[in-house]
Each structure stands twice: as structure tokens, then as C-alpha cells.
Amino acid sequence: MKHSGPDSMSRQTTASPTARAYVFAGVRARRAFTLIELAIVMATIALLLTLALPRYFLAIDHGKVNVQRQNASTIRDAIDKFFGDQGKYPDSLDDLVKSKYLRAIPVDPLTELPNWVVIAPQDSTLGGVYDIKSALPDKKEGDGAS
């Protein structure tokens, strides 16, 4: 008569330790990647990066130009308000900060410094700052930089 208990069940399904090692090694070998598969994945990632990186850097450059336009617009707005209140243009950009029209002179993101080129008014008795432009030399006409 056969004994049908939990003890007899475990004896029938239990394999020897060496048989378990072969089964484990077989499962492990089937789950691993081959060198060629890894090379294909790396080549695919490299291809995707060659497509994405130039677009990323172009987007960064466009963002800097947009920030430069906004900063120049902010300074020009402060110059106009100064002229409206004082009846003359400021003598320097620091006058806008001292008179609290600006908290600080905005940074030009292309040069990464607050070094704007000051354009004086035609009538020098009206002050020293009529307009500003970037200290970075113009690359070409119509590039969008202010």
C-alpha cells in the first residue's frame, strides 16, 4: 500500500543536488544575453543618441536666445520707465538698479555675464543709455539675437 502524505510527495519531486544545479544552470544560461545582443543594443542606443543630441543642443541654443530677448526687453522697459519718470535716460545701467527700476542687471545668457553694450542717445544731454544690445558679436543678420 502506498503512503499518500506530504512526506511521500516531497520525496517524489525532490531531485538530487547535481540535477538541480544543471537545471539552474540551464535556466540561467537561457536568461543571459549574448555578446552580439548586447552589441546590437549598444549600437541602437548610439544611433538614437546621434539623432537626439544635435536637437537637444539646438533647443538649448534657442532657449538661450529667447532668454536673451526677454532680458533685453526687460532692460529696455526699465530704460523707458526711467525716461518717462525722470525726463532723461540713465547715465549707466547701474542707475536703473540704484533707482530700483531693476533689481539687478539681467545676465546675457550667451556671454553668461551682465555685460550689455550700451547705445547712447543721439542727443547726449538726455543721458547715456538709450538702448542696449548683446556684447556677443553678431554672427549674421537676422539670427534673432538682440
Side-chain angles (χ1 to χ4, degrees):
M1 182 171 185
K2 289 187 177 180
H3 182 54
S4 62
D7 198 26
S8 66
M9 201 59 144
S10 64
R11 282 188 212 145
Q12 292 173 357
T13 59
T14 304
S16 68
T18 55
R20 272 190 274 157
Y22 288 126
V23 170
F24 180 71
V27 170
R28 188 175 191 190
R30 281 185 257 137
R31 290 187 184 173
F33 292 107
T34 63
L35 186 59
I36 191 73
E37 289 171 331
L38 290 175
I40 290 171
V41 169
M42 295 301 288
T44 305
I45 289 172
L47 177 67
L48 291 174
L49 284 176
T50 59
L51 296 174
L53 281 180
R55 291 178 189 234
Y56 170 75
F57 289 122
L58 186 64
I60 294 293
D61 291 341
H62 283 297
K64 285 182 179 182
V65 169
N66 287 336
V67 170
Q68 181 192 44
R69 281 189 203 142
Q70 182 64 40
N71 288 350
S73 177
T74 301
I75 294 172
R76 289 177 180 137
D77 185 48
I79 292 169
D80 291 342
K81 287 178 182 176
F82 187 95
F83 182 79
D85 291 344
Q86 307 289 330
K88 69 177 195 108
Y89 294 106
D91 292 323
S92 69
L93 291 177
D94 290 330
D95 289 347
L96 295 173
V97 176
K98 291 175 188 171
S99 301
K100 304 210 189 255
Y101 287 93
L102 292 172
R103 290 185 181 179
I105 299 171
V107 173
D108 183 353
L110 298 178
T111 62
E112 297 181 357
L113 296 168
N115 60 346
W116 300 93
V117 174
V118 173
I119 300 172
Q122 291 178 351
D123 184 4
S124 62
T125 61
L126 291 177
V129 181
Y130 171 73
D131 197 7
I132 52 104
K133 69 176 189 174
S134 176
L136 191 68
D138 291 335
K139 292 179 185 173
K140 60 181 178 180
E141 228 17 72
D143 65 351
S146 297

